[in-house]
Amino acid sequence: MQAVLQPFQTVIDQAIHIIQQDAEAIGLAAGGSWISGDIDAYSDLDLVLVTTNPVAPDLESMRAWAARIGTMLASFRGDHVGEPRLLIALYADPLLHVDIKFLTLAEFYHRVEDPVILWERDQQLSAVLSQSMASYPTFDYQGMEDRFWIWIHYALLKVGRGEYFEALDFIAFVRNVVIGPLLHLKNGNLPRGVRRVETTISANDLANLKKTVAMPERNSLLASLVEVIRLYVGLRDQLAPPTLQKNNAAKEAINEYFAVIQTTAITEVNE
């Protein structure tokens, strides 16, 4: 285990050595798998750097800070995940993926997990952790119900037009934002997409999830969509609060349109 941790520890030690010499730095913490202790050779390193004055979202400032802690090969900001305070970086010697979130002390109060404090000035990070609680975003069942049937219709449109790779990618999106999180919730996990489903959900649930994976072919895509709908409805009915407003009209309309697409597929194959 020590050999596995060594590359991560090397980067952490370098970071601490550099930032503790800067008066702007308040503290450094680690999140993700560093918290749970299940870090392995294929993990990335999630760091939180807290400073007196804001560093983010100025990309050049974020890169300048990050470049000080090691040989940075490439980096970009986390706009694609809605987090402009995040810098995603690749380091050399050792080759390591490191995510660095740049926060002020006030921003550190609002967090989805309690990170491990690696270094801090005057116990300021510890004080924040003791005065506030982490809060992971709850799964929005109503928001998913409002979106799900529209998304299935969109996927069917792509299949009907013969845009099989687009349909394939869209089904993967639905799997990541709807089916995966619901399966995680069913198994007592945080709703983190399809992260580590191979080892954190039941064998039966994993087998059902695999049925949603398709090839870029009409019949395979339609079969996967059948499983996506079946899984969603079953998990929704099992997990959602009784206040959920089910859109049965949209569900019936999608079932009817599904039959149309299936008939079209048969006609085209027989031609």
Side-chain angles (χ1 to χ4, degrees):
M1 186 61 181
Q2 188 62 36
V4 170
L5 290 176
Q6 188 55 52
F8 303 96
Q9 193 64 55
T10 296
V11 171
I12 288 171
D13 291 342
Q14 290 174 175
I16 292 174
H17 175 71
I18 294 298
I19 68 171
Q20 67 183 354
Q21 301 175 50
D22 194 312
E24 278 289 301
I26 294 175
L28 183 71
S33 53
W34 193 268
I35 300 173
S36 60
D38 57 1
I39 198 165
D40 59 33
Y42 306 102
S43 297
D44 57 8
L45 180 60
D46 298 299
L47 296 178
V48 179
L49 175 60
V50 183
T51 55
T52 303
N53 294 304
V55 176
D58 183 78
L59 180 57
E60 292 311 309
S61 296
M62 296 163 74
R63 282 174 167 165
W65 270 93
R68 293 162 63 185
I69 67 175
T71 304
M72 192 169 65
L73 299 173
S75 65
F76 62 96
R77 200 171 59 184
D79 299 70
H80 65 295
V81 292
E83 184 48 273
R85 301 173 301 177
L86 178 68
L87 187 73
I88 299 159
L90 182 65
Y91 284 89
D93 304 320
L95 186 65
L96 198 63
H97 176 131
V98 182
D99 292 343
I100 309 174
K101 184 177 286 187
F102 295 85
L103 303 178
T104 62
L105 194 62
E107 292 172 325
F108 190 60
Y109 278 89
H110 309 286
R111 60 194 184 278
V112 299
E113 60 185 6
D114 287 333
V116 175
I117 297 174
L118 304 171
W119 171 83
E120 60 182 327
R121 196 182 303 279
D122 301 325
Q123 301 294 306
Q124 293 182 73
L125 299 191
S126 295
V128 171
L129 294 183
S130 67
Q131 296 166 11
S132 58
M133 293 183 62
S135 177
Y136 195 88
T138 57
F139 187 81
D140 184 359
Y141 289 96
Q142 191 62 58
M144 285 300 106
E145 177 70 8
D146 294 342
R147 293 166 173 77
F148 182 77
W149 303 110
I150 298 173
W151 285 343
I152 295 300
H153 179 250
Y154 184 80
L156 288 170
L157 292 177
K158 295 301 179 182
V159 175
R161 184 182 284 165
E163 295 180 288
Y164 298 151
F165 282 96
E166 285 225 5
L168 191 70
D169 286 348
F170 196 73
I171 293 170
F173 162 77
V174 174
R175 184 186 307 113
N176 190 60
V177 301
V178 184
I179 306 303
L182 286 172
L183 286 172
H184 271 311
L185 288 168
K186 178 187 175 186
N187 285 269
N189 308 323
L190 291 174
R192 293 178 171 173
V194 292
R195 181 174 172 81
R196 298 198 177 189
V197 290
E198 296 84 357
T199 57
T200 58
I201 65 176
S202 72
N204 184 62
D205 286 336
L206 183 59
N208 286 328
L209 184 63
K210 288 179 179 179
K211 294 176 184 177
T212 69
V213 179
M215 293 293 290
E217 301 165 357
R218 179 182 288 263
N219 289 339
S220 178
L221 288 162
L222 290 174
S224 74
L225 282 170
V226 168
E227 294 301 324
V228 168
I229 294 171
R230 183 182 67 82
L231 270 176
Y232 171 70
V233 171
L235 291 165
R236 177 202 66 183
D237 292 350
Q238 178 182 352
L239 300 172
T243 54
L244 179 75
Q245 296 180 6
K246 300 177 183 178
N247 196 334
N248 292 320
K251 179 175 179 288
E252 290 305 313
I254 291 304
N255 286 338
E256 292 175 9
Y257 189 65
F258 207 119
V260 171
I261 295 295
Q262 287 177 313
T263 302
T264 304
I266 292 172
T267 301
E268 289 183 1
V269 169
N270 288 339
E271 289 177 354

